[in-house]
Amino acid sequence: MDSLVVYAHDQYFTERAMNTAAGESDFLFVNLFRAPIGAPMTPAAVNELLAAASRRAGLDPAVHPHALRHGFASNVLDAGGSIDEVQELLGHASISSSQVYVHPAPERLRAAVERVARAATSQGT
């Protein structure tokens, strides 16, 4: 994370702590500026927040929460995580729900082919 993300995080928690209803909530992202204050942010509110941040950053198309979820799952797999770890981290009941996030990086695909070639060579086939 860069310093701007850390600053935004700190500012959010400072503003949240100043509001009794928001400060007492068990949820991570809560309404600070729209009713009901302290209630969990709705998916629509999160979409609006990310769309506004995307516009300010000059991103086109805008980033949506699902894209962040997809990116996280792909990063877990690219870092050597397994599909069952992705399943657990994303809270999927079925592993088939997690498989839609599997888009291996070209480097991982190349490494897989090379592993097969090494295995075949070591077995004399």
Side-chain angles (χ1 to χ4, degrees), residues 26-92:
D26 289 338
F27 290 91
L28 178 60
F29 295 112
V30 298
N31 294 330
L32 294 178
F33 303 108
R34 63 170 68 174
I37 301 297
M41 290 179 74
T42 64
V46 174
N47 274 326
E48 290 172 21
L49 182 68
L50 282 176
S54 294
R55 282 192 301 278
R56 285 193 306 272
L59 300 177
D60 185 34
V63 175
H64 296 281
H66 189 78
L68 298 177
R69 182 176 171 88
H70 187 93
F72 172 72
S74 296
N75 287 340
V76 168
L77 293 168
D78 287 343
S82 63
I83 191 70
D84 61 321
E85 291 168 332
V86 169
Q87 176 189 5
E88 185 70 24
L89 290 167
L90 297 183
H92 291 150

